[in-house]
Amino acid sequence: MPTQEHMKQTLQTYIDAFNAGEAATISGLYTDDAVVEDPVGNPPMTGRAAIEEFYTNAIAGGAKLTLDAPIRGSHGDRAAMAFTVDVPGLRIRAIDVMTFNDEGKITRMQAHWGPDDIES
């Protein structure tokens, strides 16, 4: 199982890579068969290629991420972060929960946000 420190650093790398426009770096944090639900309730995206395309599109849309609180670890294989997504003309407040495998790669990302978490 990955350490809490590793999981937190991976999520910080995720934020930093997103804001630097590095979709390939983000997708490299995931396993080849990872699943992304963004937001939870939408059809999941599966596989690194689909995940990289998702992040490429989000970055191209001008989105930037800002942490709202410190990244949180767990006693298990998950870590979470509360953050704000600023897109031109739109703000979304989200919490992402990532599940990790024993090698420290992300196997699942679940983004928790809904209509009440969007500001325009």
Side-chain angles (χ1 to χ4, degrees), residues 57-71:
N57 292 336
I59 290 166
K64 294 292 182 185
L65 309 180
T66 306
L67 286 170
D68 295 335
I71 296 168

Side-chain angles (χ1 to χ4, degrees), residues 13-23 25-26 59 63-65:
T13 298
Y14 173 104
I15 292 282
D16 295 343
F18 191 101
N19 289 334
E22 300 170 357
T25 299
I26 300 167
I59 290 166
K64 294 292 182 185
L65 309 180

Side-chain angles (χ1 to χ4, degrees), residues 35-107:
V35 176
V36 168
E37 295 177 83
D38 191 351
V40 171
N42 271 2
M45 294 163 270
T46 303
R48 194 177 288 172
I51 292 168
E52 186 167 337
E53 181 181 355
F54 168 74
Y55 287 113
T56 297
N57 292 336
I59 290 166
K64 294 292 182 185
L65 309 180
T66 306
L67 286 170
D68 295 335
I71 296 168
R72 307 295 188 195
S74 71
H75 291 279
D77 62 354
R78 293 187 183 103
M81 58 184 175
F83 62 99
T84 299
V85 181
D86 284 301
V87 182
L90 189 67
R91 173 173 280 170
I92 302 170
R93 303 220 184 255
I95 296 175
D96 281 6
V97 178
M98 312 308 206
T99 304
F100 291 79
N101 68 8
D102 288 341
E103 289 75 45
K105 293 281 195 173
I106 301 168
T107 61

